[in-house]
């Protein structure tokens, strides 16, 4: 069971790093799947979207760092706290009347998986 939890945690970390990299490399294209309409076009929109990419990469690296140098309980705590990011994204998309499908299928599901991995990791920690 522990290998499944660790593998899922690793997959989540790598996925958020990949998404962040997408925001840096191709911000407008990546933003289309977020669940909100693209912001009004302007010369700095891509740079604002890239800010999200940097934060996503750091969030993923934080999980990886704790997986490598931390203890299980810390990995669970980090995952649990970071689950607030996709949960918040989901709530903001719903409040803005954005894509319900994206809100639940991507952000809500990600938050749920993070919590479902975090809790047993914290409970099972020595």
């Amino acid at each position: 069971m522990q290998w499944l939890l660790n593998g899922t945690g690793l997959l989540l970390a790598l996925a958020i790093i990949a998404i962040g990299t997408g925001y840096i490399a191709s911000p407008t294209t990546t933003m289309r799947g977020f669940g909100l309409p693209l912001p009004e076009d302007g010369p700095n929109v891509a740079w604002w979207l890239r800010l999200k990419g940097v934060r996503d990469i750091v969030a993923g690296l934080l999980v990886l760092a704790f997986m490598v140098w931390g203890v299980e309980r810390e990995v669970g705590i980090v995952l649990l706290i970071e689950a607030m990011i996709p949960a918040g994204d989901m709530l903001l998309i719903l409040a803005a009347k954005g894509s319900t499908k994206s809100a639940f299928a991507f952000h809500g599901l990600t938050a749920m998986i993070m919590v479902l991995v975090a809790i047993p990791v914290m409970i099972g920690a020595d």
Side-chain angles (χ1 to χ4, degrees):
M1 177 68 158
Q2 194 62 36
W3 66 268
L4 178 62
L5 295 171
N6 288 335
T8 305
L10 177 63
L11 182 64
L12 288 166
L14 294 175
I16 197 64
I17 290 169
I19 291 168
T21 302
Y23 272 100
I24 290 174
S26 184
T28 305
T29 302
T30 305
M31 183 65 185
R32 290 191 200 320
F34 187 79
L36 289 173
L38 287 170
E40 293 182 22
D41 198 21
N44 294 317
V45 169
W47 294 108
W48 282 104
L49 295 175
R50 286 183 177 107
L51 289 174
K52 180 179 173 1
V54 171
R55 284 157 178 77
D56 283 352
I57 291 169
V58 171
L61 289 174
L62 182 63
V63 173
L64 290 179
F66 273 88
M67 290 181 85
V68 172
W69 292 292
V71 295
E72 286 182 31
R73 181 167 284 123
E74 293 167 343
V75 173
I77 292 168
V78 169
L79 282 170
L80 191 60
I81 292 169
E82 285 194 3
M84 291 188 289
I85 297 169
D89 289 346
M90 177 188 73
L91 294 173
L92 289 171
I93 291 167
L94 293 172
K97 298 188 182 357
S99 169
T100 305
K101 178 182 174 186
S102 290
F104 289 115
F106 299 122
H107 305 289
L109 182 61
T110 299
M112 184 179 70
I113 291 170
M114 291 175 82
V115 169
L116 291 174
V117 170
I119 291 172
V121 166
M122 290 186 318
I123 291 171
D126 296 330

